[in-house]
């Protein structure tokens, strides 16, 4: 028993010893691992400190590099500024040297030259050719003087087959200086003086020097132009065109007759017009034409009024759509107390040639002298222009109140007429629109022929064709086979004309016309019993210089 107990105790002791020995071994292994970890941590901390140091060194080097770059930029900027300053100093030095040289030369020239004539300070003189007109003006543009010209030399003939009763069986063929006008235009600030004598006419010669215009204009209130003097008051689309720009050689008869009631060339006028891109409006008080007060002295000159309203309801780069309304009213005509009361005190005569002035001067349609108390004219025109193509036309009515003896019939007289015409520029230049006159104008040549500022050019110039039909009826209150003395009316005649025209513009100042017309005049004698009119053809031409 004791031996068993001892063996058991020994076993227990051995087990405990073994256990304690294993625990000691395990404790030693754990301590080794912890020690290894701590060494790794210390190594990592060392490496981290080394990295931090390297990062700090890199940041410091980067800051130093940035500073060096900034210093380099600043040094480059300073270098550029120094170079620019040196260049400017060199230029100033060269300029100063040049000025000194010029001053020395001018001083030597001044010593050698005679004293200059006194002049107005700051008023230099300039010479130019605007629109082809020789013009002298001050450098500030306030004063100018220009000279212009208009020459129209006509030639032509008539091809007739008259009746035995024809009034004018032999119309004259030949030549005529239709217009020879010299324009003198002086301007000071807002005032313009126009004076233009005319050495031409229909017929020309026979000391037939007359006046086209002499007037003073004020343009100080835009867009208004006020005018006083002998002037062509604005009336109708066609009469507002320059005679240099007509599609055919002369105005339609209705326009020529109507305008001469209270407007026309060299008419004593006072009034104003306003014009913009969109509209045109004018009104004038008018009197007699230049030369009306001749050797048969008047005792009172005509008093009348003229007005025009026009506009472009639509226009753009290619299109112009034009509408026009005009009117005239004569309060009383020229008064000649030497005439018979209610017979020849205030005489009016509506008449015209057959839209041609080449040589013949006979008026084939005419009312004759009628004693008139008042006259009224009204009507309108329209025109459409697309690039190099134009169509325009119009209608006007003329009404007259007669002043006759009580024993004679004196009905109100009505006359009327109209026209339609078209033009086409074959070479493609656009037909222009003149805003100042609210009217169409001739094309500007793209490829001129002849001597120009660029030398001698051989372009085609501009070619244009035109055609027109017109009618004018000067018959009123009459019956065929009944005398006009019975009805109180007038056999003035019915005229219809169809014409075609070819124009060549070598340049902007020269134009050649070639024109054919077929004219039909139906007119009865005063008794209403015989046809004194005729049908005939006309071939005519014109040479024109205008600037």
């Amino acid at each position: 028993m004791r031996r068993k107990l001892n063996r058991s105790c020994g076993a227990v002791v051995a087990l405990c010893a073994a256990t304690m020995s294993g625990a000691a071994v395990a404790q030693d292994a754990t301590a080794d691992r912890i020690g290894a970890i701590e060494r790794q941590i210390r190594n990592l901390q060392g490496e981290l400190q080394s990295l931090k140091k390297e990062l700090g060194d890199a940041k410091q080097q980067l800051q130093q590099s940035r500073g060096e770059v900034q210093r380099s930029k600043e040094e480059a900027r300073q270098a550029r500024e120094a170079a620019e300053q040196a260049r400017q100093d060199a230029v100033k030095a060269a300029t100063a040297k040049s000025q000194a040289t010029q001053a020395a030369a001018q001083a030597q020239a001044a010593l050698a030259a005679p004293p200059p004539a006194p002049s107005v300070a700051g008023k230099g003189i300039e010479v130019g050719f605007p629109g082809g007109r020789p013009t002298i003006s001050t450098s500030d543009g306030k004063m100018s003087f220009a000279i212009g010209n208009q020459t129209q030399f006509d030639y032509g003939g008539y091809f007739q087959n008259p009746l035995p009763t024809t009034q004018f069986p032999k119309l004259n063929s030949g030549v005529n200086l239709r217009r020879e006008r010299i324009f003198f235009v002086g301007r000071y600030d807002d005032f313009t003086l126009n004076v233009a004598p005319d050495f031409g006419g229909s017929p020309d010669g026979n000391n037939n020097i007359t006046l086209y215009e002499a007037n003073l204009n004020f343009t100080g209130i835009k867009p208004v132009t006020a005018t006083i003097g002998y002037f062509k008051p604005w009336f109708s689309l066609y009469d507002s065109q320059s005679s240099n720009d007509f599609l055919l050689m002369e105005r339609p008869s209705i326009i020529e007759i109507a305008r001469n009631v209270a407007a026309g060339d060299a008419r004593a006028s006072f009034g104003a017009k306003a014009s913009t891109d969109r509209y045109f409006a004018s009104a004038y008080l008018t009197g007699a034409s230049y030369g009306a007060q001749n050797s048969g002295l008047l005792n009172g000159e005509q008093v009348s009024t003229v007005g025009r309203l026009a506009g472009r309801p639509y226009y753009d780069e290619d299109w112009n759509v034009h509408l026009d309304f005009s009117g005239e009213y004569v309060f009383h005509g020229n008064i000649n107390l030497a005439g018979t009361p209610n017979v020849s005190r205030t005489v009016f005569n509506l008449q015209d040639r057959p839209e041609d002035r080449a040589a013949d001067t006979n008026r084939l349609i005419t009312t004759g002298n009628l004693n008139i108390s008042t006259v009224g004219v009204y009507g309108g025109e329209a025109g459409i222009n697309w690039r190099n193509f134009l169509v325009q036309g119009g209608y006007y009515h003329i009404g007259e109140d007669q002043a006759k003896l009580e024993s004679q019939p004196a009905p109100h007289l009505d006359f009327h007429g109209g026209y339609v015409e078209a033009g086409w520029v074959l070479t493609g230049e656009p037909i222009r629109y003149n805003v100042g006159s609210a009217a169409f104008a001739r094309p500007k040549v793209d490829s001129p022929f002849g001597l120009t500022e660029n030398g001698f050019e051989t372009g085609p110039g501009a070619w244009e064709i035109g055609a027109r039909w017109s009618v004018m009826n000067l018959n009123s209150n009459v019956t065929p086979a009944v005398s006009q003395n019975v009805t109180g009316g007038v056999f003035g005649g019915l005229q219809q004309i169809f014409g075609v025209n070819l124009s060549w513009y070598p340049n902007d100042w020269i134009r050649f016309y070639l024109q054919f017309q077929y004219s039909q005049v139906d007119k009865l004698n005063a008794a209403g019993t015989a046809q004194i009119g005729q049908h005939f053809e006309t071939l005519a031409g014109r040479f024109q210089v205008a600037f």
Side-chain angles (χ1 to χ4, degrees), residues 208-219:
N208 194 29
I209 300 174
T210 186
L211 183 70
Y212 172 65
E213 66 174 344
N215 52 74
L216 181 65
N217 300 268
F218 176 70
T219 57

Side-chain angles (χ1 to χ4, degrees), residues 147-168:
I147 299 178
N149 175 79
Q150 181 188 35
T151 300
Q152 293 180 339
F153 182 76
D154 293 359
Y155 38 89
Y158 300 87
F159 304 92
Q160 297 173 265
N161 186 21
L163 300 171
T165 56
T166 293
Q167 185 177 14
F168 301 103

Side-chain angles (χ1 to χ4, degrees), residues 242 244-245 430 432 440-444 505 508-509 511 544 546:
S242 167
N244 299 318
D245 300 340
R432 295 179 295 166
F440 298 99
R442 67 188 187 276
K444 184 174 179 62
Y505 306 83
D508 291 331
W509 305 284
R511 181 181 182 183
Q544 171 180 294

Side-chain angles (χ1 to χ4, degrees), residues 237-238 252 254-255 322-324 379-384 390-396 417-422 440 468-469:
L237 168 61
Y238 214 104
I254 179 59
I255 300 298
H322 177 98
L323 296 177
D324 206 292
E381 292 158 277
I384 300 177
L390 168 68
V391 176
Q392 73 178 52
Y395 168 87
Y396 282 89
Y419 75 95
V420 177
E421 70 178 24
F440 298 99
R468 177 202 293 159
W469 172 80

